Amino acid sequence: METHTFSNGADGPVVVGTDGSAGAAPAVLWAAEEAAARNRPLHIVHATGIDDWGGGLSSDAVRLILDAAPGLVDQAAKQATDRVPDLQVTTAVSQDSATVSLLQAAGEDGTIVVGSRGLGGFSALLLGSVGLRTAARAQGPVVVVRGAEQPSTGSVVAGVRDERDLDAVRFAATTAGHRKASLRLLSAWTYSQYAESMVPMVEAVREVAEAAATASARIVDSVREEFPDLSVTDDVVRVPSPAGALVEASAHADLLVVARKPRQPVGAALGRVTHAVLHHAHCPVAVIPR
C-alpha cells in the first residue's frame, strides 16, 4: 500500500469560531480541551461579516457591531481559560464572513472548530450554512461540535471505506493518542452501493464483503504500525445505512471522524454519509478532506 506523510492537522493550531451564542460555547470548550491536549494555543475568531454587506449597513450599525465584538471574544476566551486555566489564548475580530475568516485563520494545517448552531443572521455559525461551507472548503480538519456535553467514553470512532480514508484515520489515531483514548475503525457498507444488475447476488455480496474486509485490514495494519501504543479495534459490518451505523456508533464516542470527497460545490463536496452524520451524530464530528 502506498504511504505518505499526513499533514500535521492533528498537531497544528486550533481555531474556533464564536458568535456569542449558546451553541458556540460548547465549541469553545471542546476546542480549549483539544488545544491543551495538543499543547498548542487556542485562537478564537469572531466574524462580523460587515464586508459582505457592502454599503447595506449604516455607519451606526457598523459601529454597534464592532463595539460589541471585543466583548464576545473576551467572553469566549474566559470560557476557555475557565475550562483550561493555563491555556494560551489569542483572539481576533474579522469583518469578513465566518467561513472566510476561519479558513484564513487556520491556514493549511490548522483544525477549525465550530458549533452546530448559532444566533442566526450574518454572524451565525449555523451548521446549515457556515459549518457546511467550512467543512466543504477547508484544507484541514473541521470539527462540528454536536450533542450535549457528556462524560468521556475514552473512544474515538473513524468511519472507513478504503485506503483513501487513511488521512482521516491518522487524524483519528493522533487525536485518540492525545486524549489517551482507544480508536475504533468502523467500515459500514451496504450491498446496494456496489451491486450491478447482472452480477449474481450471492457471489457479489461475498466479493464485496471480502473487498471491504481486506481494505479495512490493510488500514488497521498501517495504523497499528504507525501508532503501536494505541488500542485499535476494527469492525466491518454490512448495514442498511452506513450513515445510520456511524450515527449509532457516535452515541458511544468522544469524537466521530469521517472523510469528505475532494472539493466540489457545497453539498456534493461532503457526500451523503458525511452530510448525514453532521446533522444527526450524538458527539462532535471531525471532517477530514481526502
Side-chain angles (χ1 to χ4, degrees), residues 112-123:
I112 297 172
V113 183
V114 297
S116 60
R117 57 192 180 276
L119 288 172
F122 50 79
S123 65

Side-chain angles (χ1 to χ4, degrees), residues 207-228:
E207 290 179 358
V208 171
E210 290 176 354
T214 300
S216 182
R218 287 197 295 263
I219 293 174
V220 170
D221 289 344
S222 176
V223 171
R224 285 176 173 160
E225 180 179 356
E226 190 171 346
F227 301 89

Side-chain angles (χ1 to χ4, degrees), residues 24-37 42 44 74-89 145 147-152 179 284:
V28 171
L29 297 179
W30 193 95
E33 292 183 346
E34 181 63 15
L42 175 66
I44 300 174
D74 288 347
Q75 177 188 20
K78 184 177 186 304
Q79 291 171 338
T81 53
D82 283 348
R83 176 61 63 93
V84 185
D86 296 328
L87 184 66
Q88 180 182 347
V89 178
V145 177
E149 189 172 12
Q150 301 288 344
S152 174
R179 292 173 173 255

Side-chain angles (χ1 to χ4, degrees), residues 12-18 27 30-31 35 38 41-46 90 101-107 109-114 141-143:
V14 179
V15 176
V16 62
T18 186
W30 193 95
R38 298 183 186 188
L42 175 66
H43 186 54
I44 300 174
V45 176
H46 172 65
T90 59
S101 301
L102 292 168
L103 293 175
Q104 290 178 343
D109 62 349
T111 294
I112 297 172
V113 183
V114 297
V142 175
V143 178

Side-chain angles (χ1 to χ4, degrees), residues 8-14 33-40 111 171 175 178:
N8 62 346
D11 291 304
V14 179
E33 292 183 346
E34 181 63 15
R38 298 183 186 188
N39 195 28
R40 301 286 293 176
T111 294
F171 176 88
T175 302
H178 287 159

Side-chain angles (χ1 to χ4, degrees), residues 239-260:
V239 293
S241 165
L246 291 170
V247 169
E248 181 179 356
S250 73
H252 311 286
D254 295 333
L255 179 68
L256 173 62
V257 182
V258 293
R260 70 162 167 82

